[in-house]
Every structure is written in C-alpha cells, then in structure tokens.
Amino acid sequence: MQEKSVYENEINERLKRVLNDPELYSYCLKAYINANQKTGFEKPEETAEFVLKTLAGELSLIEKEKLIWEILGGYVVHGIVFRDYLPVMIQNRVNKMYSQIGAYILDSGVAADYGAGLGDFMRKVKKEKPNLMIEGWDIGNDDAKGDVNIYDGKHIPRDNQYYDQVWQTTVLHHFSNPIDGVKEMARLAKKRIILLETLPLGWLGDKEKDFDVTFVADYYYRLLFKSGEPVPGSYRTKDEWIKFFENEGWRCVNSEVFGNDIDFAEFSHVRIVLEK
C-alpha cells in the first residue's frame, strides 16, 4: 500500500480529473444521489452536488474530507444523527458479506482475515464458527477492540502456508499494486482463498471509465464510514482476479457476481473461491 502523503496527492488528483469530466461527473452525481436516497438523507440531490463539487475543488484531501464530514455527520437519518447511525450500517454490511461468503469459510483450522479493518467481520465469523481460530491483519489500528494485528503492509510475519485458509473482503483494490496482496495471500494459504471484491456496475460500457466512476462511488463509501483506509481504486474484472491467483498456482472452484448488493453504494461485488 502507498505512503499516506503519496496516496492523498494521487487520490486528490484522480478525483479532480474524473469530476471535471462532464460525462463522468453526470454518472458520479447519479451514484451519489442514489446513495443519499438509500442512506436516508433528506436532501439527496443537494448533498450529492455539495460533496462532488467539494471533491472536485482545489483543497487538500484532508480539508475536503473534514468539510464534507462536518455536514454529513450532523444529518438525521431514520430518526438518528448520522454519526450514531453508522454502527447500524456497519453491522448490516457485515451481515451481508457473511451471507455472501460465510458458507465457503471452512469451519475449523487456522484462518487469516487479510485486511480485517474494524474487526467486525472477523468477530462475526468467530461467532458463527467457534471452532475456527482466526487472526486478523491490517495496516492500521481501526479496531477499537484491539483484535486486529498490525503489519507493515507488505509481509505478514507468518510462515508459508501457515493458514488453512485466507480471506479478504474488498481489500485488494486498496493496494496501489494489488499483485502484492495476491502474492501474500497465495503464500500464506494452504487449502483455500476467498475473495469478496468490488466490481463496477458497467454503466458506461467502457472499462476504464467504469473503473473511474466506481472509484468515485467507492470513495463515498469511505466518506460515509469515515474510514482511514487508502482508496486508490485498483479495480480489476472478475476474470483478471482469477487469473492473478492462477498464476500463483491456485484454481477457481466457485465464483458469483452479486450486482448492486449494498443499499448505499453504487457498485457490485464478486465472490471468488480458490483452492490448490
């Protein structure tokens, strides 16, 4: 993953480039309006325009995010101040992810949650599969409960094939070079790898433009959750993800594209299950 200062500059420049393209802006506006409506914001159109115009401006990324969060955090949704409604949204997302990949997580052995973030999904799996030993790893300390281990973003300090299985939930596209994450997951796992990755909805029918719109839509996900994770938007197609792991000696045994599966996010997800 990138150094924070490099990430901030590169992301800021990409946001400005995409949002100053009239065609791409119109699709991003549609995505943000839809997200606002589904989140429950009272003025979805006005809020979408405010956020996009702020992101397209000349402030630093930190200044933009602070300004946007000051507005979003005070909104009332479903009778609750938005900042207090966030835990509900997070738990709903965790439950949705578990419904998509939980059946493919082995019930016992040793596992790694690669890029465990807040730790909520890892704790959900532990609750559902009490005989499974899980280690969560990430580059930051976002987990207030302290269950997630911190590593350098390059190599997890475990031997080759240390884990029976390794999974990640929308993590690899957060790498500036996702091949680094692919290789590390392939090194660590012995029996199974499970991916839940982000895909574009394909509104424009042009791969790179669709990735750009997905990047801006995904960035709103970061803003809503006030996440500290990098979002360089290193998206790939389903077939490209599978090919990366095939090159590391793994084979796909199951895959499914879920479509627009999150109420407040205008992009898709894919499940990919791989074995030796």
Side-chain angles (χ1 to χ4, degrees):
M1 295 187 181
Q2 297 167 298
E3 293 294 332
K4 188 172 181 180
S5 60
V6 175
Y7 143 70
E8 289 172 349
N9 291 335
E10 290 185 1
I11 296 310
N12 207 14
E13 289 305 310
R14 187 176 182 185
L15 284 168
K16 290 190 289 184
R17 174 181 63 79
V18 173
L19 293 174
N20 281 288
D21 180 310
E23 179 188 22
L24 298 181
Y25 181 90
S26 67
Y27 283 94
C28 294
L29 180 61
K30 176 184 175 183
Y32 277 33
I33 291 173
N34 288 346
N36 290 340
Q37 289 173 336
K38 293 171 181 175
T39 302
F41 292 153
E42 290 184 359
K43 299 178 180 179
E45 294 85 1
E46 290 182 22
T47 300
E49 290 182 356
F50 161 72
V51 174
L52 288 175
K53 287 178 179 177
T54 301
L55 292 177
E58 295 301 323
L59 295 174
S60 71
L61 198 61
I62 293 175
E63 291 172 319
K64 290 176 180 179
E65 292 184 353
K66 181 180 179 182
L67 180 60
I68 291 168
W69 184 251
E70 286 176 353
I71 300 298
L72 297 184
Y75 281 180
V76 175
V77 294
H78 309 292
I80 306 173
V81 175
F82 179 63
R83 62 174 62 91
D84 295 330
Y85 184 67
L86 270 178
V88 176
M89 294 178 67
I90 291 171
Q91 191 55 51
N92 288 342
R93 177 62 186 137
V94 166
N95 292 339
K96 171 66 74 172
M97 292 191 299
Y98 189 82
S99 74
Q100 293 169 330
I101 71 170
Y104 296 88
I105 296 175
L106 302 175
D107 292 337
S108 60
V110 184
D113 187 327
Y114 188 66
L118 298 171
D120 295 274
F121 183 77
M122 179 180 66
R123 285 185 283 270
K124 169 72 173 178
V125 177
K126 283 184 175 181
K127 180 180 178 181
E128 299 293 334
K129 299 177 184 286
N131 294 325
L132 181 61
M133 191 183 89
I134 310 171
E135 290 186 340
W137 294 92
D138 213 314
I139 61 169
N141 57 351
D142 290 339
D143 178 17
K145 296 183 178 181
D147 295 331
V148 176
N149 300 295
I150 309 302
Y151 81 113
D152 63 5
K154 297 178 181 179
H155 297 291
I156 287 175
R158 295 289 183 263
D159 294 337
N160 294 351
Q161 299 187 338
Y162 181 85
Y163 300 103
D164 295 295
Q165 59 184 327
V166 178
W167 65 75
Q168 65 90 19
T169 52
T170 65
V171 171
L172 291 179
H173 72 269
H174 289 276
F175 282 75
S176 55
N177 181 6
I179 297 297
D180 294 340
V182 168
K183 288 182 176 295
E184 185 66 351
M185 291 183 72
R187 180 186 74 80
L188 291 166
K190 180 165 55 178
K191 297 178 180 178
R192 180 170 292 184
I193 291 173
I194 304 169
L195 309 184
L196 185 65
E197 257 305 331
T198 303
L199 297 178
L201 290 175
W203 284 345
L204 288 89
D206 177 291
K207 178 180 173 180
E208 295 306 319
K209 289 182 178 180
D210 283 326
F211 281 165
D212 277 339
V213 172
T214 302
F215 160 72
V216 178
D218 200 9
Y219 200 80
Y220 203 30
Y221 184 94
R222 166 190 164 84
L223 290 171
L224 291 177
F225 281 86
K226 207 174 182 183
S227 170
E229 294 181 10
V231 190
S234 301
Y235 308 106
R236 297 294 189 273
T237 66
K238 180 190 77 170
D239 290 342
E240 286 172 334
W241 287 122
I242 292 173
K243 186 64 177 177
F244 288 155
F245 282 93
E246 286 179 342
N247 291 340
E248 300 300 320
W250 293 78
R251 60 186 177 88
C252 177
V253 297
N254 176 274
S255 68
E256 181 177 352
V257 176
F258 297 108
N260 192 188
D261 59 329
I262 307 180
D263 288 344
F264 51 86
E266 296 301 311
F267 42 78
S268 176
H269 289 98
V270 60
R271 177 186 66 237
I272 300 172
V273 183
L274 305 117
E275 294 181 348
K276 282 288 190 181

